[in-house]
Amino acid sequence: MYEQVQVARTFLRMAWLYRWVGLATAIIACTLGWGAVQLMPDQFQVTAKIYLDSRSMLRPLLRGIAFESGNLSNTTMLLSRTLLTRPNLEEVARRTDLDLGTKTPEEFDKLISDLASDISIVGTTRDNIYEIKYSNDKPKVAKSVVDELLNTFMESTLGDTRRETAVTQKFLEEQIAAYEKRLIEAEERLKEFKQRNVGAMPGSQGGFFSRLEAAHAQMKAAQLELEEGMRRRDQLKEQASSQSAVVEDPFAMGDDSMVDDTDPEISQFEAKIADMNNRIDDLLVAYTEKHPDIVTMRKMVGDLKTKIEARKQELEKEAAENPVAAGEGDNFESMTGNPFKQQLQLQAAEADAMVAGLQTRVAEYERRVQELETKVDIVPEVEAELVRLNRDYEVNRDQYNELLKRRELAYMSQEADQSEDDVKVKIIEPPRVPLLPTGPNRLLFASIVLLLGLGLGGALSAVLSQMNPRIIDVPDLKDITGLPVLGVVSMSSSPLHRQQRRYELMAFSAALAGLVMVYIGQVVMFVMGIDLHGKISSVIGMIA
């Protein structure tokens, strides 16, 4: 520790040898620095306070119906980030004529950079109050810049949502037109496909295999019903054939009670015709004359009528050929036809007609099953292609309907924005031309100049002492020579020399004190509000 103190002491004593050089350097540096500080132009700061009000009556009413086009967070981001973009600053510079002072693109770029650094936006999101500050050496220019910033912000805030709505609506219109074209193309493909495969399209009963299964079930049910009808018909015919054709009439009264017997075969044919006509009337309720069952039954009715005519002709011929046999009927006037047999014959005729209809139905179902089975390799492919086409069509239709819905929401949002803005900007403190400068802080700069001047003088003295070292003390001599010091001869100063040293020290102290007093004078004038800068500027102006 002792050695370090000795080194520091030696270093200071060597620097003290060049004290006048250091002092002169400090005085010159302080004089130039203070002059520069006083010649710095005054800065006038203009401040504007704005309040962002996001309270809107339409927002809760339109929640879930229209888009929320704007909110406070977006406006705050716009204020803090997009307001100081280069295009906005260039527009502000042109509107305030700041660009007139620039002659080259480099100067214009520097002007924009200075604007970006001089403009500050501060505030709190809790209170929603923001301050826009700008400083310039001309108060009117500073106010003009803040005014233009406010105008730009108001235009951006009020028009940003509407511009976004217009862009959104344009995009939606383009997408709707594109999807409408796709939808029409999908409809055309689906229509052409249905026209090409009109016989192989799935019906309301489901797909191909469902239809085939249903056709098999219907065919089996018809076959079972046909078998039941045939059994009933055969049983009725067997019962009718076992009955006697005539029975004795217990109520016969003599020759005047002749009974006109009807031929059993003709009666059977007429019963079939009546039953078929009833069935034809029932089918005509649901089908046309071209239905296969109706056509078949009408053909059977015609055949039965032909058989009736042939039977009548046959009976007339027999009566003409054997009149004796025909006259013998008078001997059997007490005999009459068996009504039970006639009833069985009528039921057998109805069963026969029913069997004929069921045969036609079974034939039709068999034809349908055969037709479906021939398409077992084609129809599934058609159905798969139809499913794909329907899926594409439904996707395009759903997307198209969704775009239409969103377009209507965008229209409603636009109407809401035009009725009332979501975020209102209120200027609670407009900008005004300042009367007193707000900068620069000359007291601070003067203090910095004093410290820098003294530091520069001390540094120069230290550098010179190291460049031209001298022996100050016995240890230094011993370290340099490496020889032992046997004795020291002390210097004896004369009264005149001691007086000169005192004068020199007093002059040095006075010069240093004068430098400090100049600094103190500036501080006093600053505290008293004396405009030293204005006075110096006036003097320079008079001289110039």
Side-chain angles (χ1 to χ4, degrees):
M1 185 66 184
Y2 176 76
E3 294 180 355
Q4 295 176 354
V5 172
Q6 290 297 323
V7 170
R9 180 171 174 271
T10 301
F11 179 80
L12 294 176
R13 290 182 64 183
M14 290 177 62
W16 178 254
L17 297 176
Y18 298 94
R19 57 188 177 278
W20 289 106
V21 176
L23 180 61
T25 302
I27 292 174
I28 295 173
C30 289
T31 302
L32 295 177
W34 288 334
V37 168
Q38 295 300 327
L39 293 177
M40 290 174 64
D42 287 334
Q43 296 294 319
F44 296 88
Q45 186 181 74
V46 176
T47 302
K49 291 184 179 180
I50 58 176
Y51 172 67
L52 305 182
D53 186 9
S54 62
R55 294 175 297 178
S56 174
M57 294 182 63
L58 287 178
R59 179 179 295 180
L61 295 177
L62 297 178
R63 185 176 293 115
I65 301 177
F67 295 117
E68 294 185 2
S69 55
N71 51 50
L72 187 58
S73 60
N74 292 337
T75 306
T76 304
M77 183 180 298
L78 174 69
L79 177 63
S80 59
R81 296 185 181 180
T82 63
L83 185 60
L84 300 182
T85 57
R86 185 176 179 86
N88 289 340
L89 293 177
E90 290 179 355
E91 187 67 20
V92 169
R94 293 187 180 95
R95 291 181 180 178
T96 56
D97 296 334
L98 290 176
D99 60 329
L100 299 179
T102 60
K103 298 180 180 179
T104 62
E106 290 77 10
E107 293 179 354
F108 186 74
D109 290 340
K110 185 178 183 303
L111 173 63
I112 300 302
S113 300
D114 293 341
L115 275 177
S117 60
D118 293 339
I119 297 173
S120 63
I121 300 175
V122 295
T124 58
T125 57
R126 184 185 64 182
D127 299 331
N128 300 331
I129 298 177
Y130 293 85
E131 290 184 351
I132 301 177
K133 298 180 180 180
Y134 174 68
S135 298
N136 193 278
D137 56 350
K138 298 178 181 179
K140 293 184 178 180
V141 173
K143 180 180 180 299
S144 300
V145 170
V146 176
D147 285 335
E148 293 301 329
L149 287 172
L150 285 177
N151 294 334
T152 302
F153 176 66
M154 297 288 289
E155 294 173 359
S156 300
T157 303
L158 296 177
D160 183 68
T161 300
R162 293 169 188 173
R163 286 195 299 270
E164 289 181 358
T165 304
V167 172
T168 303
Q169 290 179 355
K170 181 180 179 182
F171 173 77
L172 289 176
E173 293 291 347
E174 294 174 354
Q175 293 298 313
I176 288 173
Y179 272 96
E180 185 177 6
K181 183 178 179 182
R182 295 182 187 177
L183 190 61
I184 293 175
E185 293 175 354
E187 290 175 347
E188 290 296 327
R189 289 195 300 268
L190 190 59
K191 182 184 72 174
E192 294 174 359
F193 178 81
K194 289 182 177 180
Q195 291 175 350
R196 290 195 307 267
N197 303 276
V198 65
M201 300 294 294
S204 60
Q205 297 178 352
F208 171 76
F209 293 103
S210 299
R211 292 160 55 196
L212 180 59
E213 184 180 356
H216 275 291
Q218 291 173 350
M219 183 183 68
K220 290 180 181 179
Q223 289 176 348
L224 179 60
E225 190 175 354
L226 174 61
E227 185 177 354
E228 292 175 353
M230 293 174 65
R231 288 181 179 275
R232 182 173 180 274
R233 180 196 64 182
D234 295 341
Q235 187 176 8
L236 289 173
K237 286 183 176 181
E238 183 179 355
Q239 292 177 0
S241 62
S242 64
Q243 297 293 326
S244 175
V246 294
V247 295
E248 183 179 357
D249 187 2
F251 302 100
M253 301 300 296
D255 296 338
D256 296 335
S257 60
M258 292 293 295
V259 178
D260 188 13
D261 295 333
T262 304
D263 185 68
E265 189 173 353
I266 293 176
S267 300
Q268 182 179 1
F269 290 155
E270 290 177 349
K272 288 183 179 181
I273 291 173
D275 180 68
M276 287 188 179
N277 285 330
N278 292 331
R279 293 179 62 82
I280 289 173
D281 292 339
D282 293 338
L283 290 174
L284 285 175
V285 176
Y287 305 101
T288 62
E289 291 286 348
K290 296 182 180 180
H291 193 272
D293 293 347
I294 297 176
V295 173
T296 303
M297 289 184 181
R298 288 208 183 275
K299 184 178 179 181
M300 294 176 65
V301 169
D303 294 340
L304 291 173
K305 288 181 178 180
T306 302
K307 290 180 180 181
I308 291 174
E309 294 296 331
R311 180 60 178 167
K312 288 180 179 181
Q313 293 176 3
E314 184 180 353
L315 292 175
E316 291 175 358
K317 184 178 179 180
E318 290 180 356
E321 290 178 356
N322 192 6
V324 177
E328 290 179 354
D330 297 337
N331 298 327
F332 298 95
E333 58 184 4
S334 61
M335 303 298 290
T336 182
N338 190 348
F340 184 67
K341 182 174 182 178
Q342 293 177 3
Q343 183 68 27
L344 290 175
Q345 289 175 346
L346 289 175
Q347 293 179 1
E350 293 177 359
D352 197 8
M354 184 180 296
V355 167
L358 290 175
Q359 288 175 345
T360 304
R361 185 184 303 177
V362 170
E364 176 64 20
Y365 285 145
E366 289 177 349
R367 185 191 63 79
R368 293 180 184 178
V369 170
Q370 185 178 4
E371 182 180 358
L372 289 174
E373 288 178 348
T374 57
K375 298 178 180 180
V376 69
D377 296 329
I378 300 174
V379 175
E381 296 180 0
V382 173
E383 291 182 351
E385 183 67 17
L386 179 62
V387 170
R388 186 184 66 82
L389 291 174
N390 284 329
R391 182 177 63 247
D392 294 342
Y393 171 74
E394 290 174 359
V395 168
N396 289 317
R397 183 190 61 188
D398 294 341
Q399 190 65 28
Y400 179 74
N401 293 332
E402 182 66 22
L403 288 173
L404 289 178
K405 178 181 178 182
R406 290 181 178 271
R407 184 182 64 180
E408 295 303 320
L409 292 178
Y411 285 154
M412 187 175 295
S413 299
Q414 183 181 17
E415 294 297 330
D417 290 337
Q418 292 178 355
S419 300
E420 182 177 358
D421 294 316
D422 285 345
V423 179
K424 297 179 180 180
V425 180
K426 299 180 180 180
I427 301 176
I428 59 177
E429 185 177 325
R432 59 184 181 85
V433 178
L435 300 178
L436 298 177
T438 57
N441 192 347
R442 292 188 173 85
L443 180 60
L444 176 62
F445 289 150
S447 302
I448 294 175
V449 167
L450 177 62
L451 295 177
L452 291 178
L454 294 176
L456 182 61
L460 181 60
S461 299
V463 170
L464 292 177
S465 65
Q466 295 299 317
M467 292 176 62
N468 187 18
R470 296 183 183 183
I471 298 174
I472 301 299
D473 206 350
V474 174
D476 296 336
L477 178 61
K478 184 178 179 179
D479 292 338
I480 292 174
T481 60
L483 299 175
V485 178
L486 300 177
V488 177
V489 178
S490 301
M491 178 180 176
S492 180
S493 300
S494 63
L496 180 59
H497 183 263
R498 287 196 296 271
Q499 186 177 5
Q500 292 176 351
R501 292 290 301 274
R502 285 196 298 270
Y503 289 158
E504 181 183 0
L505 182 60
M506 292 173 61
F508 180 82
S509 300
L512 183 61
L515 184 64
V516 176
M517 289 301 296
V518 172
Y519 166 74
I520 294 175
Q522 296 181 64
V523 173
V524 172
M525 296 178 68
F526 179 82
V527 173
M528 295 178 63
I530 299 175
D531 188 9
L532 182 60
H533 166 75
K535 296 181 179 301
I536 296 176
S537 298
S538 300
V539 172
I540 295 176
M542 293 176 61
I543 296 175

